[in-house]
Amino acid sequence: VQLQASGGGSVQAGGSLRLSCAASGRTYDNRLMGWFRRAPGTEREFVAAVTWSGNNTYYADSVKGRFSISTDNAENTIYLQMNSLKPEDTARYYCAADRISRRNIHYALGRRYDYWGRGTLVTVSS
């Protein structure tokens, strides 16, 4: 699976961005897609995840109510709509794809995911 994230940019606090992650070469055993982020000097952190069916979504507490994750199966693409952005949302955002063999690992853990994109940078100014 190859993942290509896009949609990052620079916005002012309170603004919005929509990130996209196009997945090529999807396999039958990829069920869950996630977004993670890493700010300079910090650890990677979980942001949100979604099953390809769209029936299950998961969010970090820090983004709940502001971010929304969704899928487009026809386009093999997932989206992360980010509203009410804050300076602390500044980070490089990565999308990731799991494999069903790792389904017993919590969705918020990076080791759940087998494939990672190169990331897209989001900068929020105050």
Side-chain angles (χ1 to χ4, degrees):
V1 180
Q2 293 185 323
L3 304 174
Q4 181 65 50
S6 61
S10 297
V11 296
Q12 290 192 323
S16 298
L17 283 173
R18 189 175 81 153
L19 306 185
S20 301
C21 176
S24 59
R26 271 185 64 192
T27 61
Y28 74 96
D29 62 348
N30 164 226
R31 305 296 175 86
L32 185 74
M33 298 291 292
W35 284 100
F36 287 75
R37 67 186 181 187
R38 176 178 283 163
T42 69
E43 298 283 322
R44 180 180 61 197
E45 67 172 342
F46 170 76
V47 176
V50 63
T51 52
W52 276 110
S53 66
N55 291 337
N56 300 96
T57 58
Y58 311 95
Y59 297 94
D61 287 343
S62 59
V63 306
K64 209 170 286 186
R66 300 188 298 123
F67 290 12
S68 177
I69 190 169
S70 61
T71 64
D72 183 335
N73 275 278
E75 297 294 329
N76 285 339
T77 300
I78 67 166
Y79 302 97
L80 185 69
Q81 178 66 42
M82 305 187 297
N83 299 326
S84 302
L85 282 161
K86 304 175 181 180
E88 51 264 44
D89 294 318
T90 294
R92 181 167 290 275
Y93 284 70
Y94 300 87
C95 59
D98 84 332
R99 295 180 68 176
I100 196 170
S101 59
R102 300 189 181 188
R103 64 186 181 278
N104 292 324
I105 301 173
H106 196 277
Y107 58 79
L109 297 178
R111 57 193 175 92
R112 168 69 180 263
Y113 302 87
D114 223 9
Y115 307 98
W116 294 82
R118 295 182 66 179
T120 184
L121 184 62
V122 172
T123 303
V124 185
S125 57
S126 56

